[in-house]
């Protein structure tokens, strides 16, 4: 009996060693330790032994069972480890394969420029004012000190609908409307929008384009306030190192009128092809609101003053992003638009 | 305006500056200098030559072999010009010269004959063909007899000169003359200027004895001065005058015409010269034309006149279109001996209108249009008379024949220094302001702490106090203005709720994968109303530039489809674009069209495309629908959104829906009709357009927190077979109504038609979620509610339940 037991142990040990999977190992356990296995049979057969041998044999059987169980567990752990290892190896991927793209769309580059300017001025307490794209001659011209017959308002340059109605040629009528509506109160607004001129479309002209203008009206608004405001804008749009300069110019709705140049952001002022070797780039037009314009809107120009400025987002975008042809903004070629994906802080 | 700096030096001394410094100062003071042209183009080895002999080249018909004295040396030069001849003084480019066109002059052999240089035309020296005197337009330029061989031809032609190109703003018409420029430069540099001295000895005969003048249209011609010069010899002008005119961009003709043009450029006062004898009547009458009256202008064109156009006549017929162009019948020619010089003030509006109507804009008309200086009208006539005496041998008759009702008094402007400083944000002392006025030669007195200024009539742009603020600021220097920020009664600023929502809509659509397009508001009549949500009379342009862009759009979709076709043609086959923008409907009471902001989108090609994992999915109706639903969810309106099947022109009849917000139709969504897709070279393409304005103006409920459930919910699935035509929305409605308050959510999760389902029917499966916020639901509760749902579906939708 004792020999039988040792033989059995040897057998089990061999089977355990030969098991290569958790399942095979389990089969061994069931075969030897299970209810129908030889060890159970041996225990059952103990009744036939003399009473004095039973405890000794019982202890032996238990001892063998325990040691087999221990070895089984040990083996099981090894096999499980191996299995996981194998699984991990099988699950290994090429991490350099392309990721699944997150399909985002993006702003049109002009919206990008307009929103940047809007947000800058909103942070300084400005409101955004909008108005109709089809305008009355009165708001587009007359209220802006461009009376009928003024040389600057040639029929050839504007899209008229009737003699008195046209597609607005600038966003300034929004200023005129706002001044009229404010009834003498102070104003701080930015007016973005589409405008139209009777130009043939080419690399630098578009019959439809965008403008963004600003207007501040109140007591004691000075030209120095205009200069300080434009200086901050230039630094926001083109970098903190930018310097500005004002040059006298002429617009019917402002007096004095100026054009603003910024120091060239490409060469820093030493002269390059972007600034046409001058070190300066013309960015916008501005001025102090003409007394006639204030008066027509119901302000007393002796007591109230204002400044206004206006620029073309197309020009800003062309300069900022190096776009060479204004038509790109309106052909909606996805290869163009999708280049303005990146966010900028 | 082209400003010769040599000519400018006659009036103001600027020579202590480099030309670049001068240009920069002028620009910073308000007149933009666009460019500096060196008329010598750096040329060298260009000399005067005398053609000693000129014989035909034995081997070439069109060439001549010339022996040219180039100053103590005889050079053989082959010349191909048709007008070359023995005895001429000519311009010679010697070996080593480089011409403006880039041509390098070298010794060469032409058909076997040596050539040591080139005899030049003016064009070859970089002078524009339209400025070269007609006699030399087709060949070499011939110099007068009194020149010396070997001298620099560039000096003789005045080409050692640099030109400032002015880009004048419309208000600065004062700088349309050399004297005006001199005043400006004098002010900038604080220099005095030298005006021309006019003196000549007049004959005893009086102008008014030989010429009668009457002006019958004083409102358009308040001042007219005529002078008469006898015994004029019409000839080529002296070289200096021709050079000066060419430097100013004017072609020399003959001495009489050249003098009028010279004075035009010097004073900014246009003049006209008539042949006195060709006038025939010894009379000038200024009047409006008779409607339909005809005249032949200098350019030999017969023109039919209108009764608002001003003409100069000889009492019988027009001899000039006032301020615009002279007539052919009274033109000065080689045989002219007596000249009438006209100097006048023609009303700007009248000249502008006429010059536009006849399509002629000239140096003269542009100056009249801006308003000439009333105080220079008479002086300019005197200046021309002087030059005709000096340069054309004329005899100036005593006095002028004059009509004058023109107001010539200077405007007065009174300005307080505080007014100036408060508007500039500066502290400029009154004395400094006065100094600036002195530099501008604006007579100014200081009275009671105010500047009292008499504005010279040459500065017609200075009318109000603000104009003077600009004068002070620009000469004081804009760089001196400090940088401050406006102090205005403080408002918070920011976007309106509407503007903020517009940004939400854009950001959402971009997050959903669509990029923003920007298309034109002008459309072709064919496209203007295609796909429109609402149509109204179309707004048309009076003068469109093309049919393609002649009316205002009433929908955005056609433009997005154009953009899609454009992209697809360039192999960008998957397109997802949106646009927000206005459409224009009919005419409102105020005469303007109703502008409504819309949002539109287009999808074509693939929606999911993850190439290496083999996942691709074409866009379909439900991709677009999901985008619209998400948009309404963003705006808090999802619960109020509905879709119903619709028929829309140019859309797929089976795949198009109306978008409803409550009971208001706000948009369309669907596939473009396959025929239209084909016409536009598109594959399956989906579009939507909605009235963004209505949607964004719809009030939404406040966003309030709803308690997070504390008790579990229970789900039950139902599978049904229903008629193919039964809509999912209808089934959902039945379920919602029957489910009672415990039913929290209904979700369609399966749809099947085809094998194993009876023809004309479809199988649909829903997942229903029951939930009670107050307690844990029992099976009984759910069974009760669920069986009501099943009953309702059987009865109302004739549904068969599948196990
Ligand atoms: Zn640069």
């Amino acid at each position: 009996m004792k020999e039988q037991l040792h033989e059995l142990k040897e057998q089990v040990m061999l089977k355990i060693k030969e098991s290569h999977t958790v399942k095979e190992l389990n089969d061994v356990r069931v075969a030897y330790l299970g209810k129908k296995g030889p060890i159970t049979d041996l225990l059952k057969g103990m009744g036939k032994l003399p009473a004095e041998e039973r405890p000794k044999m019982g202890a032996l059987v238990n001892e063998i069972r325990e040691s087999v169980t221990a070895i089984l567990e040990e083996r099981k752990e090894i096999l499980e480890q191996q299995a996981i290892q194998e699984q991990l190896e099988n699950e290994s991927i090429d991490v350099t394969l392309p990721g699944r793209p997150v399909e985002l769309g993006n702003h049109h580059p002009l919206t990008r420029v307009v929103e940047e300017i809007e947000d800058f001025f909103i942070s300084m307490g400005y409101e955004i004012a909008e108005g109709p794209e089809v305008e009355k001659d009165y708001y587009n011209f007359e209220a802006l000190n461009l009376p009928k017959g003024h040389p600057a308002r040639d029929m050839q340059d504007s899209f008229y609908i009737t003699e008195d109605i046209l597609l607005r040629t600038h966003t300034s009528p929004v200023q005129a409307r706002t001044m009229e509506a404010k009834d003498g109160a102070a104003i701080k607004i930015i007016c973005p929008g589409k405008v139209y001129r009777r130009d043939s479309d080419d690399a630098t002209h578009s019959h439809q384009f965008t403008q963004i203008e600003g207007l501040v009206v109140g007591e004691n608004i000075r030209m120095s306030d205009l200069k300080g405001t434009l200086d901050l804008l230039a630094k926001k749009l083109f970098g903190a190192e930018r310097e500005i300069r004002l040059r006298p110019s002429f617009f019917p709705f402002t007096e004095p009128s100026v054009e603003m140049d910024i120091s060239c952001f490409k060469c820093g002022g030493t002269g390059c092809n972007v600034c046409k070797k001058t070190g300066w780039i013309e960015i916008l037009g501005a001025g102090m609101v003409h007394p006639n314009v204030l008066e027509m809107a119901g302000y007393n120009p002796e007591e109230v003053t204002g400044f206004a400025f206006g620029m073309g987002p197309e020009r800003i975008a062309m300069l900022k992003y190096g776009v060479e042809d204004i038509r790109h903004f309106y052909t909606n070629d996805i290869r163009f638009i999708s280049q303005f994906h990146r966010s900028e802080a | 305006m082209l400003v010769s700096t040599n000519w400018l030096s006659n009036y103001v001394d600027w020579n202590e500056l480099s030309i670049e410094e001068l240009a920069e100062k002028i620009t910073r003071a308000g007149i933009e200098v666009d460019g500096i042209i060196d008329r010598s183009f750096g040329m060298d080895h260009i000399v005067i030559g005398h053609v000693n002999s000129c014989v035909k080249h034995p081997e070439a018909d069109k060439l001549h072999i010339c022996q040219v004295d180039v100053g103590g040396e005889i050079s053989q030069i082959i010349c191909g010009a048709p007008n070359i001849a023995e005895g001429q003084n000519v311009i010679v480019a010697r070996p080593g010269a480089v011409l403006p066109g880039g041509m390098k002059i070298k010794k060469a052999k032409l058909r076997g004959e040596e050539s040591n240089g080139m005899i030049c035309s003016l064009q070859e020296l970089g002078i524009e063909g339209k400025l070269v005197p007609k006699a030399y337009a087709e060949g070499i330029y011939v110099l007068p007899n009194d020149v010396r061989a070997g001298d620099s031809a560039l000096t003789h032609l005045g080409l050692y000169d640099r030109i400032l190109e002015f880009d004048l703003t419309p208000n600065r018409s004062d700088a349309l003359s050399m004297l005006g420029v001199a005043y400006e430069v004098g002010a900038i540099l604080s220099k005095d200027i030298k005006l021309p001295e006019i003196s000549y000895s007049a004959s005893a005969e009086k102008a008014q004895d030989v010429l009668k003048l009457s002006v019958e249209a004083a409102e358009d011609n308040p001042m007219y001065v005529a002078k008469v010069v006898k015994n004029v010899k019409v000839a080529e002008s002296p070289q200096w005058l021709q050079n000066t005119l060419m430097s100013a961009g004017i072609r020399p003709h003959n001495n009489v015409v050249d003098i009028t043009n010279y004075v035009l450029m010097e004073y900014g006062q246009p003049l006209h010269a008539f042949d006195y004898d060709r006038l025939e009547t010894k009379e000038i009458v200024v009047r409006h034309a008779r409607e339909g009256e005809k005249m032949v202008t200098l350019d030999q064109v017969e023109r039919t006149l209108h009764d608002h156009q001003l003409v100069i006549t000889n009492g019988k017929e027009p001899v000039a279109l006032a301020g615009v162009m002279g007539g052919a019948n009274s033109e000065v020619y080689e045989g002219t001996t007596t000249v009438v010089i006209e100097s006048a003030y023609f009303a700007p509006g009248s000249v502008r209108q006429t010059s536009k109507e006849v399509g002629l804009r000239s140096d003269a008309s542009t100056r009249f249009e801006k308003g000439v200086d009333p105080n220079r009208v008479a002086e300019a006539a005197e200046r021309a008379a002087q030059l005709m005496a000096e340069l054309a041998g004329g005899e100036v008759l005593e006095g002028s024949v004059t009509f004058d009702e023109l107001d010539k008094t200077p405007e007065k402007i009174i300005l307080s220094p505080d007014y100036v400083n408060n508007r500039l944000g500066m502290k400029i002392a009154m004395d400094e302001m006065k100094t600036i006025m002195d530099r501008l030669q604006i007579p100014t007195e200081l009275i009671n702490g105010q500047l009292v200024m008499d504005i010279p009539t040459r500065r017609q742009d200075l009318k109000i106090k603000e104009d003077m603020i600009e004068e002070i600021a620009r000469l004081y220097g804009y760089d001196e203005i400090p940088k401050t920020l406006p102090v205005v009664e403080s408002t918070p600023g920011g976007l309106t709720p509407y503007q903020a929502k517009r940004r939400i809509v854009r950001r959402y659509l971009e997050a959903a994968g669509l990029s923003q397009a920007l298309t034109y508001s002008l459309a072709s009549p064919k496209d203007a109303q295609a796909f429109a949500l609402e149509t109204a009379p179309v707004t048309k342009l009076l003068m469109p530039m093309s049919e393609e862009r002649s009316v205002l759009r009433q929908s955005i979709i056609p433009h997005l489809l154009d953009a899609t076709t454009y992209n697809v043609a360039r192999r960008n086959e998957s397109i997802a674009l949106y646009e927000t923008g206005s459409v224009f409907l009919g005419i409102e009471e105020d005469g303007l069209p109703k502008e409504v902001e819309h949002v539109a989108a287009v999808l074509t090609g693939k929606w999911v495309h993850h190439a290496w994992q083999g996942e691709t999915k074409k866009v379909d109706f439900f991709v677009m629908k999901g985008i619209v639903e998400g948009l309404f969810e963003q705006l808090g309106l999802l619960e109020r959104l509905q879709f119903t099947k619709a028929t829309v022109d140019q859309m797929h009849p089976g795949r198009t829906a109306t978008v409803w917000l409550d009971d208001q139709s706000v948009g369309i969504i669907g596939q473009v009709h396959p025929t239209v897709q084909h016409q536009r070279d598109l594959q399956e393409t989906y579009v939507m357009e909605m009235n963004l304005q209505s949607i964004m103006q719809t009030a939404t409920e406040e966003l309030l927190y709803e308690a997070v459930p504390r008790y579990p919910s229970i789900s039950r699935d139902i599978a049904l077979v229903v008629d193919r035509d039964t809509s999912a929305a209808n089934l959902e409605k039945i379920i919602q109504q029957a489910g009672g308050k415990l039913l929290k959510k209904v979700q369609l999760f399966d749809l099947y038609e085809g094998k194993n389902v009876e023809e004309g029917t479809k199988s649909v499966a829903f997942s229903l979620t029951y939930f009670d916020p107050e307690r844990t639901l029992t099976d009984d509760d759910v069974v009760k509610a669920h069986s009501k749902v099943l009953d309702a579906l059987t009865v109302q939708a004739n549904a068969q339940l599948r196990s």
Side-chain angles (χ1 to χ4, degrees), chain A residues 97-101 103-108 110-111 115 118-119 122 124-136 149-151 154-156 159-163 165 167 177 186-188 194 196 198-201 206-208 210 216-217 219-229 231-232 235 243-250 255-259 282 288 290-291 301-305 307 329-335 337, chain B residues 24 27-32 169-171 352 356 419 421-426 464-470 473-474 478-489 491-496 498-499 502-503 506-507 509-522 539-545 549 552-553 559 563 566-567 570 572 574-582 584 587 590-593 595 607-610 612-613 615:
Chain A
L97 281 168
R100 179 190 292 270
E103 301 280 356
L104 291 174
N106 55 265
H107 274 7
H108 190 279
L110 293 178
T111 304
E115 286 195 0
E118 283 179 352
D119 290 343
I122 286 171
M124 304 220 298
Y126 287 63
E127 288 168 1
I128 309 298
E130 294 170 294
E133 291 170 31
V134 182
E135 254 301 359
K136 294 183 180 181
H150 193 286
D154 203 316
M155 284 286 275
Q156 293 300 324
F159 288 118
Y160 275 88
I161 307 283
T162 69
E163 219 167 89
I165 293 175
L167 304 193
R177 282 174 177 271
I187 297 175
K188 261 171 102 175
K194 294 174 188 164
Y196 306 85
R198 225 168 159 279
D199 275 327
S200 297
D201 298 339
S206 180
H207 76 276
Q208 175 181 321
T210 56
V216 175
V217 174
E219 282 173 23
N220 201 27
I221 298 299
R222 304 156 302 174
M223 200 146 166
S224 57
D225 299 330
L226 171 64
K227 193 173 175 184
T229 302
D231 184 55
L232 291 180
K235 289 177 162 62
E243 293 297 327
I244 65 161
R245 70 172 195 186
L246 302 182
R247 276 183 295 110
S249 188
F250 172 76
E255 187 68 43
S257 300
V258 292
E259 265 165 319
E282 189 180 316
M288 300 302 290
H290 197 288
E302 292 287 326
E303 285 162 15
V304 172
T305 50
F307 68 69
F329 296 115
Y330 294 94
T331 43
N332 299 299
D333 191 318
I334 203 80
R335 296 165 300 180
I337 300 180
Chain B
E24 171 73 6
T27 295
R28 295 305 309 280
I31 295 176
E32 197 169 341
T169 50
N171 59 325
R352 187 182 315 132
K356 216 158 97 179
Y419 192 88
N421 285 325
N422 288 344
R423 276 158 181 75
L424 292 176
M426 298 177 80
I464 58 171
K465 289 186 278 191
E466 280 68 18
D467 295 325
M468 303 318 294
I469 294 178
E470 179 166 65
R474 74 185 182 93
Y478 279 169
D479 288 347
E480 305 304 317
I481 299 178
K483 292 172 193 161
T484 58
L485 287 177
V487 181
V488 179
E489 202 180 309
T491 51
L495 298 171
T496 63
Y498 184 92
Q499 290 162 346
R502 182 195 286 135
R503 286 199 181 183
R506 286 177 178 166
R507 286 212 179 27
L509 290 171
E510 285 155 17
L514 285 76
S515 282
Q516 188 189 15
L518 187 51
T519 63
Y520 296 133
S521 303
L522 287 169
T539 309
K540 297 190 181 93
L541 298 182
L542 276 184
M543 292 191 295
M545 297 179 74
R549 314 244 169 268
L552 285 164
R553 67 179 177 191
H559 298 257
Y566 178 93
N567 275 294
R570 282 156 187 79
N572 312 321
S574 294
I575 294 301
L577 291 173
Y578 82 93
E579 178 170 0
T580 61
S582 289
F584 305 82
I587 297 286
D590 61 1
L592 300 179
E595 285 182 32
W607 184 242
V608 177
H609 38 110
H610 193 202
W612 65 267
Q613 289 192 328
E615 285 178 46

Side-chain angles (χ1 to χ4, degrees), chain A residues 264 266-275 279:
Chain A
C264 181
K266 187 160 179 217
C267 65
T270 53
C272 70
N273 59 333
V274 171
C275 58

